[in-house]
């Protein structure tokens, strides 16, 4: 099948946990029904991701969604 794109609908339920590790990294831990994905980033990378999240949230707010 085709790889999933950013705008594709999906019915996958997953949770996200974020926290520091004892190694001084920032861990994003994605938990799904049958999958666990730990992703570790150094603090600088984590701050870049945070900026990208803020930018995406700001852009998403500007998109008009008909009700």
């Amino acid at each position: 099948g085709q790889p999933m794109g950013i705008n594709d609908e999906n019915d996958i339920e997953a949770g996200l946990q974020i926290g520091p590790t004892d190694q001084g990294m920032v861990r994003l831990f994605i938990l799904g029904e049958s999958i666990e994905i730990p992703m570790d980033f150094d603090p600088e990378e984590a701050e870049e991701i945070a900026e990208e999240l803020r930018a995406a949230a700001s852009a998403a707010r500007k998109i008009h969604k008909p009700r």
Side-chain angles (χ1 to χ4, degrees):
Q2 292 287 341
M4 178 172 265
I6 223 83
N7 287 311
D8 293 341
E9 292 287 322
N10 78 77
D11 55 8
I12 298 166
E13 285 192 31
L16 176 64
Q17 295 179 358
I18 302 172
T21 71
D22 59 8
Q23 304 293 311
M25 301 291 278
V26 175
R27 176 163 292 174
L28 271 64
F29 196 57
I30 299 163
L31 296 161
E33 287 177 27
S34 59
I35 196 162
E36 295 182 0
I37 306 172
M39 299 171 68
D40 290 354
F41 302 92
D42 66 41
E44 291 74 25
E45 288 176 307
E47 286 171 350
E48 287 175 21
I49 292 167
E51 287 173 21
E52 289 179 36
L53 277 168
R54 286 185 193 279
S58 178
R61 278 199 185 96
K62 295 180 176 121
I63 296 170
H64 176 70
K65 287 181 132 180
R67 298 240 170 229

